[in-house]
Each structure stands twice: as structure tokens, then as C-alpha cells.
Amino acid sequence: MESRKSEAAEKKRSGQCNCAQSVICTYCDKAGIDEQTAMNIGNSFAAGMGNMEGTCGALVGAGVVLGLVNKDKAKSVREMREIISKFQCRNGATQCKMLKGIESGNVLRECPDCVADACEFLEDAING
């Protein structure tokens, strides 16, 4: 599969989607859902899960897609751990508020780049 990470990052950059929606919508065909359903699934995951600055929405979106593609809990959990580990290693955090530098003033990664990273690691899992 050709990488879709640039497409997903552009969805976020354009403002048409939050981070979770950007990932879920980009892979809705792989997940077996339509784009409107993908948008609805991702609605509440903006700004770190319900605007509480928690887990990055791009990671949440990757987890949703992974579960729908795999249809296997153990495999999905194992692969999600790997995605989170890679994301943490590359970006230094998995929490939205830390990535955005809300408390520190030091932005670790911009949202479109977080979306691209989550997609890259999701594609590794799906294709691996």
C-alpha cells in the first residue's frame, strides 16, 4: 500500500478534521466504514480526547483503524503498543498537551506531523 500519511496530514492541516478524524477518514476504506461514519467515530477525540489534552488524537485514530482492520483484540493491542512506542520515541510524548507544549511552552511536534507519524506507524503494522 502506498503511504497515505501526507493525505492524512493535509486533512488536519486544512482544518476539515481533528487529528483522530484525519487518521480514521484516511483509512476508512481499509477499516470497512464510510467517511461519514469515520468522521462521527472521531468526533469526540479532538484536542487530546474530548479537549482534555490527553492522548494524542492521531494515536486514538490509529487504534480505531487498527481494531477495525485486524478484528483481533490481542493482535491489535500488541500492534498498538508498538505504534505508541515508536511515536513516543520519535516525538518525546504521547499526550496532546505535552506535544503542543501547553505547560512547557516547548512544542515537541505540530499536529499534522503527529498525524503523519501515527499513519506511518499504522501502515507499518497493517502491512507488516
Side-chain angles (χ1 to χ4, degrees), residues 51-77:
N51 211 21
M52 297 301 291
E53 301 166 347
T55 302
C56 172
L59 287 171
V60 173
V64 168
V65 172
L66 198 59
L68 290 168
V69 169
N70 286 341
K71 298 175 180 43
D72 179 303
K73 181 181 176 181
K75 182 179 182 186
S76 295
V77 168

Side-chain angles (χ1 to χ4, degrees), residues 8-9 11-12 16-28 33 35 37-50 55-66 68 96 111-112 114-116 118-119 122:
K11 286 180 191 292
K12 175 57 186 166
Q16 67 186 22
C17 297
N18 66 38
C19 294
Q21 290 170 323
S22 297
V23 176
I24 300 167
C25 286
T26 300
Y27 299 93
C28 62
I33 58 176
E35 191 163 351
T37 300
M39 289 292 285
N40 292 337
I41 289 169
N43 275 340
S44 62
F45 299 116
M49 297 190 69
T55 302
C56 172
L59 287 171
V60 173
V64 168
V65 172
L66 198 59
L68 290 168
C96 181
C111 292
C114 288
V115 167
C119 289
L122 172 62

